[in-house]
Amino acid sequence: DVHNGDIVHDDDDDDILSASSASSEKQSTISSLTHNHFQEEMEDLEHQIHMLQRELESSRIEATRAVKVAEQAIQSAERGASSGDWNSTVTHKAAEAAAQAQKRSAEAMARQRIAEGKLAEERRLAS
């Protein structure tokens, strides 16, 4: 307020400024908490992706071994056709091992894609 050229301080102005400041601080606190939450979520998802990548690499190594075993079993079966039951069993077991390793590898890849999708979504929401 202004009276005779002098500025008169009004207590209502202080209340408005104080409420505005409190509101601004509250928004800042909420923003900070939200940012921290998204940061934690992203770090967790990045960790999950790292673990899934390790699992995928392990599955690939296992699949490679299983394929080698299957190839060796097939070669053995071709060389010794006289003992049919044994050859069939070894070949069948090797094929089963290769199929299981391939299945685990595919499952690990699928889980990794899901985690990467979640991370991308968290990043999009955080920005």
Side-chain angles (χ1 to χ4, degrees):
D1 293 348
V2 177
H3 295 285
N4 297 333
D6 294 329
I7 296 177
V8 178
H9 188 66
D10 190 349
D11 286 338
D12 288 343
D13 290 341
D14 283 344
D15 292 343
I16 293 170
L17 288 174
S18 178
S20 174
S21 176
S23 175
S24 178
E25 286 178 25
K26 185 176 181 180
Q27 287 176 342
S28 177
T29 301
I30 291 171
S31 177
S32 178
L33 291 173
T34 302
H35 175 74
N36 288 341
H37 172 74
F38 281 125
Q39 185 67 31
E40 288 175 11
E41 287 287 321
M42 285 190 292
E43 287 172 4
D44 183 48
L45 288 170
E46 286 170 346
H47 176 72
Q48 287 179 23
I49 289 170
H50 176 72
M51 296 303 293
L52 289 168
Q53 287 171 335
R54 289 178 61 195
E55 182 181 340
L56 179 58
E57 182 61 28
S58 176
S59 294
R60 285 180 177 157
I61 291 169
E62 185 180 347
T64 300
R65 281 191 210 125
V67 167
K68 287 180 183 178
V69 169
E71 289 171 347
Q72 290 172 352
I74 290 168
Q75 289 171 0
S76 293
E78 290 172 349
R79 281 194 301 264
S82 61
S83 55
D85 284 344
W86 181 82
N87 291 329
S88 295
T89 301
V90 171
T91 302
H92 177 72
K93 293 294 183 189
E96 275 184 348
Q100 285 292 354
Q102 213 171 21
K103 179 182 174 185
R104 281 191 291 276
S105 180
E107 289 169 349
M109 285 174 48
R111 286 192 303 273
Q112 180 180 348
R113 281 193 296 273
I114 290 169
E116 287 172 343
K118 287 179 182 178
L119 178 61
E121 180 65 15
E122 287 292 330
R123 284 184 175 153
R124 186 187 67 76
L125 291 173
S127 57

PDB file of all heavy atoms in Angstrom, residues 26-46 119 121-127:
ATOM      1  N   LYS A  26       7.527 -27.211  -1.613  1.00  0.00           N
ATOM      2  CA  LYS A  26       6.838 -28.503  -1.647  1.00  0.00           C
ATOM      3  C   LYS A  26       6.954 -29.120  -3.036  1.00  0.00           C
ATOM      4  O   LYS A  26       7.249 -30.303  -3.161  1.00  0.00           O
ATOM      5  CB  LYS A  26       5.370 -28.310  -1.271  1.00  0.00           C
ATOM      6  CG  LYS A  26       4.592 -29.591  -1.158  1.00  0.00           C
ATOM      7  CD  LYS A  26       3.178 -29.327  -0.685  1.00  0.00           C
ATOM      8  CE  LYS A  26       2.403 -30.611  -0.547  1.00  0.00           C
ATOM      9  NZ  LYS A  26       1.033 -30.376  -0.089  1.00  0.00           N
ATOM     10  N   GLN A  27       6.769 -28.319  -4.088  1.00  0.00           N
ATOM     11  CA  GLN A  27       6.901 -28.813  -5.455  1.00  0.00           C
ATOM     12  C   GLN A  27       8.332 -29.285  -5.720  1.00  0.00           C
ATOM     13  O   GLN A  27       8.549 -30.302  -6.352  1.00  0.00           O
ATOM     14  CB  GLN A  27       6.509 -27.732  -6.460  1.00  0.00           C
ATOM     15  CG  GLN A  27       5.020 -27.487  -6.522  1.00  0.00           C
ATOM     16  CD  GLN A  27       4.675 -26.331  -7.456  1.00  0.00           C
ATOM     17  OE1 GLN A  27       5.528 -25.532  -7.788  1.00  0.00           O
ATOM     18  NE2 GLN A  27       3.421 -26.278  -7.864  1.00  0.00           N
ATOM     19  N   SER A  28       9.298 -28.543  -5.207  1.00  0.00           N
ATOM     20  CA  SER A  28      10.694 -28.906  -5.381  1.00  0.00           C
ATOM     21  C   SER A  28      10.994 -30.236  -4.686  1.00  0.00           C
ATOM     22  O   SER A  28      11.693 -31.088  -5.227  1.00  0.00           O
ATOM     23  CB  SER A  28      11.598 -27.806  -4.834  1.00  0.00           C
ATOM     24  OG  SER A  28      12.957 -28.173  -4.940  1.00  0.00           O
ATOM     25  N   THR A  29      10.453 -30.406  -3.488  1.00  0.00           N
ATOM     26  CA  THR A  29      10.652 -31.657  -2.742  1.00  0.00           C
ATOM     27  C   THR A  29      10.011 -32.825  -3.478  1.00  0.00           C
ATOM     28  O   THR A  29      10.619 -33.881  -3.625  1.00  0.00           O
ATOM     29  CB  THR A  29      10.057 -31.536  -1.321  1.00  0.00           C
ATOM     30  OG1 THR A  29      10.702 -30.455  -0.649  1.00  0.00           O
ATOM     31  CG2 THR A  29      10.232 -32.823  -0.542  1.00  0.00           C
ATOM     32  N   ILE A  30       8.789 -32.643  -3.960  1.00  0.00           N
ATOM     33  CA  ILE A  30       8.097 -33.695  -4.712  1.00  0.00           C
ATOM     34  C   ILE A  30       8.877 -34.025  -5.974  1.00  0.00           C
ATOM     35  O   ILE A  30       9.081 -35.189  -6.302  1.00  0.00           O
ATOM     36  CB  ILE A  30       6.649 -33.276  -5.038  1.00  0.00           C
ATOM     37  CG1 ILE A  30       5.822 -33.245  -3.750  1.00  0.00           C
ATOM     38  CG2 ILE A  30       6.023 -34.217  -6.061  1.00  0.00           C
ATOM     39  CD1 ILE A  30       4.446 -32.654  -3.910  1.00  0.00           C
ATOM     40  N   SER A  31       9.338 -33.004  -6.670  1.00  0.00           N
ATOM     41  CA  SER A  31      10.119 -33.214  -7.884  1.00  0.00           C
ATOM     42  C   SER A  31      11.389 -34.005  -7.591  1.00  0.00           C
ATOM     43  O   SER A  31      11.755 -34.913  -8.318  1.00  0.00           O
ATOM     44  CB  SER A  31      10.462 -31.873  -8.520  1.00  0.00           C
ATOM     45  OG  SER A  31      11.279 -32.057  -9.647  1.00  0.00           O
ATOM     46  N   SER A  32      12.043 -33.656  -6.499  1.00  0.00           N
ATOM     47  CA  SER A  32      13.274 -34.347  -6.106  1.00  0.00           C
ATOM     48  C   SER A  32      12.992 -35.807  -5.767  1.00  0.00           C
ATOM     49  O   SER A  32      13.731 -36.700  -6.178  1.00  0.00           O
ATOM     50  CB  SER A  32      13.908 -33.636  -4.909  1.00  0.00           C
ATOM     51  OG  SER A  32      15.060 -34.319  -4.489  1.00  0.00           O
ATOM     52  N   LEU A  33      11.912 -36.058  -5.017  1.00  0.00           N
ATOM     53  CA  LEU A  33      11.547 -37.431  -4.665  1.00  0.00           C
ATOM     54  C   LEU A  33      11.201 -38.242  -5.904  1.00  0.00           C
ATOM     55  O   LEU A  33      11.601 -39.399  -6.030  1.00  0.00           O
ATOM     56  CB  LEU A  33      10.373 -37.434  -3.683  1.00  0.00           C
ATOM     57  CG  LEU A  33      10.665 -36.919  -2.277  1.00  0.00           C
ATOM     58  CD1 LEU A  33       9.375 -36.810  -1.471  1.00  0.00           C
ATOM     59  CD2 LEU A  33      11.662 -37.824  -1.572  1.00  0.00           C
ATOM     60  N   THR A  34      10.456 -37.639  -6.815  1.00  0.00           N
ATOM     61  CA  THR A  34      10.085 -38.319  -8.055  1.00  0.00           C
ATOM     62  C   THR A  34      11.332 -38.653  -8.866  1.00  0.00           C
ATOM     63  O   THR A  34      11.479 -39.762  -9.363  1.00  0.00           O
ATOM     64  CB  THR A  34       9.130 -37.442  -8.887  1.00  0.00           C
ATOM     65  OG1 THR A  34       7.983 -37.156  -8.094  1.00  0.00           O
ATOM     66  CG2 THR A  34       8.703 -38.141 -10.161  1.00  0.00           C
ATOM     67  N   HIS A  35      12.233 -37.688  -8.972  1.00  0.00           N
ATOM     68  CA  HIS A  35      13.485 -37.915  -9.707  1.00  0.00           C
ATOM     69  C   HIS A  35      14.276 -39.052  -9.075  1.00  0.00           C
ATOM     70  O   HIS A  35      14.793 -39.927  -9.768  1.00  0.00           O
ATOM     71  CB  HIS A  35      14.325 -36.636  -9.758  1.00  0.00           C
ATOM     72  CG  HIS A  35      15.667 -36.837 -10.385  1.00  0.00           C
ATOM     73  ND1 HIS A  35      15.810 -37.002 -11.746  1.00  0.00           N
ATOM     74  CD2 HIS A  35      16.899 -36.945  -9.839  1.00  0.00           C
ATOM     75  CE1 HIS A  35      17.096 -37.192 -12.008  1.00  0.00           C
ATOM     76  NE2 HIS A  35      17.777 -37.155 -10.871  1.00  0.00           N
ATOM     77  N   ASN A  36      14.371 -39.051  -7.739  1.00  0.00           N
ATOM     78  CA  ASN A  36      15.103 -40.110  -7.038  1.00  0.00           C
ATOM     79  C   ASN A  36      14.465 -41.473  -7.281  1.00  0.00           C
ATOM     80  O   ASN A  36      15.164 -42.460  -7.473  1.00  0.00           O
ATOM     81  CB  ASN A  36      15.183 -39.821  -5.542  1.00  0.00           C
ATOM     82  CG  ASN A  36      16.131 -38.677  -5.221  1.00  0.00           C
ATOM     83  OD1 ASN A  36      16.989 -38.322  -6.022  1.00  0.00           O
ATOM     84  ND2 ASN A  36      15.962 -38.095  -4.054  1.00  0.00           N
ATOM     85  N   HIS A  37      13.123 -41.520  -7.277  1.00  0.00           N
ATOM     86  CA  HIS A  37      12.413 -42.773  -7.526  1.00  0.00           C
ATOM     87  C   HIS A  37      12.729 -43.290  -8.925  1.00  0.00           C
ATOM     88  O   HIS A  37      13.058 -44.468  -9.099  1.00  0.00           O
ATOM     89  CB  HIS A  37      10.906 -42.580  -7.356  1.00  0.00           C
ATOM     90  CG  HIS A  37      10.112 -43.765  -7.768  1.00  0.00           C
ATOM     91  ND1 HIS A  37      10.060 -44.911  -7.018  1.00  0.00           N
ATOM     92  CD2 HIS A  37       9.370 -43.998  -8.878  1.00  0.00           C
ATOM     93  CE1 HIS A  37       9.310 -45.803  -7.639  1.00  0.00           C
ATOM     94  NE2 HIS A  37       8.878 -45.269  -8.767  1.00  0.00           N
ATOM     95  N   PHE A  38      12.627 -42.423  -9.925  1.00  0.00           N
ATOM     96  CA  PHE A  38      12.918 -42.834 -11.298  1.00  0.00           C
ATOM     97  C   PHE A  38      14.378 -43.258 -11.437  1.00  0.00           C
ATOM     98  O   PHE A  38      14.688 -44.229 -12.120  1.00  0.00           O
ATOM     99  CB  PHE A  38      12.597 -41.724 -12.303  1.00  0.00           C
ATOM    100  CG  PHE A  38      11.137 -41.603 -12.620  1.00  0.00           C
ATOM    101  CD1 PHE A  38      10.482 -40.397 -12.463  1.00  0.00           C
ATOM    102  CD2 PHE A  38      10.422 -42.689 -13.080  1.00  0.00           C
ATOM    103  CE1 PHE A  38       9.132 -40.286 -12.761  1.00  0.00           C
ATOM    104  CE2 PHE A  38       9.072 -42.596 -13.377  1.00  0.00           C
ATOM    105  CZ  PHE A  38       8.428 -41.385 -13.216  1.00  0.00           C
ATOM    106  N   GLN A  39      15.273 -42.546 -10.772  1.00  0.00           N
ATOM    107  CA  GLN A  39      16.697 -42.887 -10.823  1.00  0.00           C
ATOM    108  C   GLN A  39      16.924 -44.290 -10.252  1.00  0.00           C
ATOM    109  O   GLN A  39      17.641 -45.093 -10.844  1.00  0.00           O
ATOM    110  CB  GLN A  39      17.522 -41.851 -10.050  1.00  0.00           C
ATOM    111  CG  GLN A  39      19.012 -42.066 -10.149  1.00  0.00           C
ATOM    112  CD  GLN A  39      19.542 -41.842 -11.558  1.00  0.00           C
ATOM    113  OE1 GLN A  39      19.015 -41.038 -12.313  1.00  0.00           O
ATOM    114  NE2 GLN A  39      20.581 -42.571 -11.911  1.00  0.00           N
ATOM    115  N   GLU A  40      16.288 -44.583  -9.114  1.00  0.00           N
ATOM    116  CA  GLU A  40      16.418 -45.911  -8.508  1.00  0.00           C
ATOM    117  C   GLU A  40      15.845 -46.985  -9.423  1.00  0.00           C
ATOM    118  O   GLU A  40      16.427 -48.057  -9.578  1.00  0.00           O
ATOM    119  CB  GLU A  40      15.721 -45.946  -7.150  1.00  0.00           C
ATOM    120  CG  GLU A  40      16.451 -45.164  -6.079  1.00  0.00           C
ATOM    121  CD  GLU A  40      15.668 -45.108  -4.771  1.00  0.00           C
ATOM    122  OE1 GLU A  40      14.664 -45.835  -4.626  1.00  0.00           O
ATOM    123  OE2 GLU A  40      16.070 -44.336  -3.888  1.00  0.00           O
ATOM    124  N   GLU A  41      14.695 -46.698 -10.030  1.00  0.00           N
ATOM    125  CA  GLU A  41      14.074 -47.649 -10.951  1.00  0.00           C
ATOM    126  C   GLU A  41      14.990 -47.924 -12.138  1.00  0.00           C
ATOM    127  O   GLU A  41      15.174 -49.072 -12.545  1.00  0.00           O
ATOM    128  CB  GLU A  41      12.720 -47.110 -11.462  1.00  0.00           C
ATOM    129  CG  GLU A  41      11.623 -47.150 -10.437  1.00  0.00           C
ATOM    130  CD  GLU A  41      11.112 -48.557 -10.175  1.00  0.00           C
ATOM    131  OE1 GLU A  41      10.991 -49.340 -11.134  1.00  0.00           O
ATOM    132  OE2 GLU A  41      10.848 -48.865  -9.007  1.00  0.00           O
ATOM    133  N   MET A  42      15.569 -46.877 -12.694  1.00  0.00           N
ATOM    134  CA  MET A  42      16.458 -47.040 -13.846  1.00  0.00           C
ATOM    135  C   MET A  42      17.701 -47.837 -13.465  1.00  0.00           C
ATOM    136  O   MET A  42      18.136 -48.717 -14.207  1.00  0.00           O
ATOM    137  CB  MET A  42      16.834 -45.691 -14.444  1.00  0.00           C
ATOM    138  CG  MET A  42      15.694 -45.062 -15.240  1.00  0.00           C
ATOM    139  SD  MET A  42      16.165 -43.618 -16.192  1.00  0.00           S
ATOM    140  CE  MET A  42      16.512 -42.440 -14.926  1.00  0.00           C
ATOM    141  N   GLU A  43      18.265 -47.547 -12.300  1.00  0.00           N
ATOM    142  CA  GLU A  43      19.449 -48.285 -11.848  1.00  0.00           C
ATOM    143  C   GLU A  43      19.111 -49.757 -11.647  1.00  0.00           C
ATOM    144  O   GLU A  43      19.891 -50.634 -12.017  1.00  0.00           O
ATOM    145  CB  GLU A  43      20.003 -47.674 -10.564  1.00  0.00           C
ATOM    146  CG  GLU A  43      20.700 -46.347 -10.789  1.00  0.00           C
ATOM    147  CD  GLU A  43      21.088 -45.636  -9.493  1.00  0.00           C
ATOM    148  OE1 GLU A  43      20.877 -46.221  -8.400  1.00  0.00           O
ATOM    149  OE2 GLU A  43      21.598 -44.510  -9.580  1.00  0.00           O
ATOM    150  N   ASP A  44      17.935 -50.030 -11.081  1.00  0.00           N
ATOM    151  CA  ASP A  44      17.505 -51.412 -10.872  1.00  0.00           C
ATOM    152  C   ASP A  44      17.333 -52.122 -12.220  1.00  0.00           C
ATOM    153  O   ASP A  44      17.778 -53.258 -12.395  1.00  0.00           O
ATOM    154  CB  ASP A  44      16.195 -51.451 -10.082  1.00  0.00           C
ATOM    155  CG  ASP A  44      15.743 -52.861  -9.783  1.00  0.00           C
ATOM    156  OD1 ASP A  44      16.578 -53.669  -9.319  1.00  0.00           O
ATOM    157  OD2 ASP A  44      14.554 -53.173 -10.008  1.00  0.00           O
ATOM    158  N   LEU A  45      16.697 -51.448 -13.166  1.00  0.00           N
ATOM    159  CA  LEU A  45      16.502 -52.053 -14.484  1.00  0.00           C
ATOM    160  C   LEU A  45      17.830 -52.257 -15.211  1.00  0.00           C
ATOM    161  O   LEU A  45      18.030 -53.281 -15.870  1.00  0.00           O
ATOM    162  CB  LEU A  45      15.550 -51.188 -15.326  1.00  0.00           C
ATOM    163  CG  LEU A  45      14.088 -51.229 -14.872  1.00  0.00           C
ATOM    164  CD1 LEU A  45      13.282 -50.161 -15.599  1.00  0.00           C
ATOM    165  CD2 LEU A  45      13.489 -52.604 -15.104  1.00  0.00           C
ATOM    166  N   GLU A  46      18.747 -51.306 -15.074  1.00  0.00           N
ATOM    167  CA  GLU A  46      20.060 -51.472 -15.694  1.00  0.00           C
ATOM    168  C   GLU A  46      20.784 -52.671 -15.086  1.00  0.00           C
ATOM    169  O   GLU A  46      21.430 -53.441 -15.802  1.00  0.00           O
ATOM    170  CB  GLU A  46      20.894 -50.202 -15.528  1.00  0.00           C
ATOM    171  CG  GLU A  46      20.433 -49.073 -16.428  1.00  0.00           C
ATOM    172  CD  GLU A  46      21.086 -47.739 -16.119  1.00  0.00           C
ATOM    173  OE1 GLU A  46      21.711 -47.595 -15.047  1.00  0.00           O
ATOM    174  OE2 GLU A  46      20.966 -46.831 -16.963  1.00  0.00           O
ATOM    175  N   LEU A 119      13.207 -50.221 -19.029  1.00  0.00           N
ATOM    176  CA  LEU A 119      14.194 -49.164 -18.811  1.00  0.00           C
ATOM    177  C   LEU A 119      13.932 -47.989 -19.751  1.00  0.00           C
ATOM    178  O   LEU A 119      13.959 -46.832 -19.326  1.00  0.00           O
ATOM    179  CB  LEU A 119      15.612 -49.699 -19.018  1.00  0.00           C
ATOM    180  CG  LEU A 119      16.737 -48.674 -18.867  1.00  0.00           C
ATOM    181  CD1 LEU A 119      16.739 -48.077 -17.460  1.00  0.00           C
ATOM    182  CD2 LEU A 119      18.082 -49.324 -19.162  1.00  0.00           C
ATOM    183  N   GLU A 121      11.115 -47.113 -21.031  1.00  0.00           N
ATOM    184  CA  GLU A 121       9.897 -46.443 -20.574  1.00  0.00           C
ATOM    185  C   GLU A 121      10.191 -45.580 -19.345  1.00  0.00           C
ATOM    186  O   GLU A 121       9.711 -44.446 -19.249  1.00  0.00           O
ATOM    187  CB  GLU A 121       8.820 -47.486 -20.248  1.00  0.00           C
ATOM    188  CG  GLU A 121       7.511 -46.896 -19.773  1.00  0.00           C
ATOM    189  CD  GLU A 121       6.790 -46.068 -20.816  1.00  0.00           C
ATOM    190  OE1 GLU A 121       7.130 -46.144 -22.011  1.00  0.00           O
ATOM    191  OE2 GLU A 121       5.880 -45.317 -20.433  1.00  0.00           O
ATOM    192  N   GLU A 122      10.984 -46.096 -18.399  1.00  0.00           N
ATOM    193  CA  GLU A 122      11.348 -45.313 -17.212  1.00  0.00           C
ATOM    194  C   GLU A 122      12.128 -44.066 -17.620  1.00  0.00           C
ATOM    195  O   GLU A 122      11.907 -42.989 -17.076  1.00  0.00           O
ATOM    196  CB  GLU A 122      12.189 -46.150 -16.242  1.00  0.00           C
ATOM    197  CG  GLU A 122      11.397 -47.206 -15.494  1.00  0.00           C
ATOM    198  CD  GLU A 122      10.407 -46.621 -14.515  1.00  0.00           C
ATOM    199  OE1 GLU A 122      10.641 -45.535 -13.975  1.00  0.00           O
ATOM    200  OE2 GLU A 122       9.376 -47.270 -14.285  1.00  0.00           O
ATOM    201  N   ARG A 123      13.029 -44.217 -18.556  1.00  0.00           N
ATOM    202  CA  ARG A 123      13.807 -43.057 -19.021  1.00  0.00           C
ATOM    203  C   ARG A 123      12.894 -42.030 -19.676  1.00  0.00           C
ATOM    204  O   ARG A 123      13.069 -40.836 -19.499  1.00  0.00           O
ATOM    205  CB  ARG A 123      14.892 -43.512 -19.998  1.00  0.00           C
ATOM    206  CG  ARG A 123      16.065 -44.159 -19.313  1.00  0.00           C
ATOM    207  CD  ARG A 123      17.151 -44.515 -20.282  1.00  0.00           C
ATOM    208  NE  ARG A 123      18.313 -45.025 -19.580  1.00  0.00           N
ATOM    209  CZ  ARG A 123      19.182 -45.848 -20.100  1.00  0.00           C
ATOM    210  NH1 ARG A 123      19.051 -46.262 -21.334  1.00  0.00           N
ATOM    211  NH2 ARG A 123      20.214 -46.267 -19.381  1.00  0.00           N
ATOM    212  N   ARG A 124      11.930 -42.527 -20.454  1.00  0.00           N
ATOM    213  CA  ARG A 124      10.987 -41.611 -21.118  1.00  0.00           C
ATOM    214  C   ARG A 124      10.156 -40.864 -20.074  1.00  0.00           C
ATOM    215  O   ARG A 124       9.963 -39.658 -20.177  1.00  0.00           O
ATOM    216  CB  ARG A 124      10.069 -42.399 -22.044  1.00  0.00           C
ATOM    217  CG  ARG A 124       9.152 -41.504 -22.885  1.00  0.00           C
ATOM    218  CD  ARG A 124       8.134 -42.309 -23.669  1.00  0.00           C
ATOM    219  NE  ARG A 124       7.161 -42.967 -22.839  1.00  0.00           N
ATOM    220  CZ  ARG A 124       6.130 -42.367 -22.235  1.00  0.00           C
ATOM    221  NH1 ARG A 124       5.962 -41.078 -22.368  1.00  0.00           N
ATOM    222  NH2 ARG A 124       5.291 -43.048 -21.488  1.00  0.00           N
ATOM    223  N   LEU A 125       9.711 -41.559 -19.046  1.00  0.00           N
ATOM    224  CA  LEU A 125       8.910 -40.925 -18.001  1.00  0.00           C
ATOM    225  C   LEU A 125       9.734 -39.955 -17.169  1.00  0.00           C
ATOM    226  O   LEU A 125       9.217 -38.953 -16.687  1.00  0.00           O
ATOM    227  CB  LEU A 125       8.291 -41.998 -17.085  1.00  0.00           C
ATOM    228  CG  LEU A 125       7.206 -42.858 -17.714  1.00  0.00           C
ATOM    229  CD1 LEU A 125       6.820 -43.985 -16.763  1.00  0.00           C
ATOM    230  CD2 LEU A 125       5.987 -42.033 -18.093  1.00  0.00           C
ATOM    231  N   ALA A 126      11.017 -40.256 -16.992  1.00  0.00           N
ATOM    232  CA  ALA A 126      11.877 -39.421 -16.161  1.00  0.00           C
ATOM    233  C   ALA A 126      12.263 -38.123 -16.863  1.00  0.00           C
ATOM    234  O   ALA A 126      12.600 -37.134 -16.217  1.00  0.00           O
ATOM    235  CB  ALA A 126      13.144 -40.175 -15.764  1.00  0.00           C
ATOM    236  N   SER A 127      12.200 -38.116 -18.180  1.00  0.00           N
ATOM    237  CA  SER A 127      12.636 -36.895 -18.897  1.00  0.00           C
ATOM    238  C   SER A 127      11.495 -35.958 -19.194  1.00  0.00           C
ATOM    239  O   SER A 127      10.414 -36.085 -18.830  1.00  0.00           O
ATOM    240  CB  SER A 127      13.325 -37.267 -20.193  1.00  0.00           C
ATOM    241  OG  SER A 127      12.491 -38.055 -21.024  1.00  0.00           O
TER     242      SER A 127
END
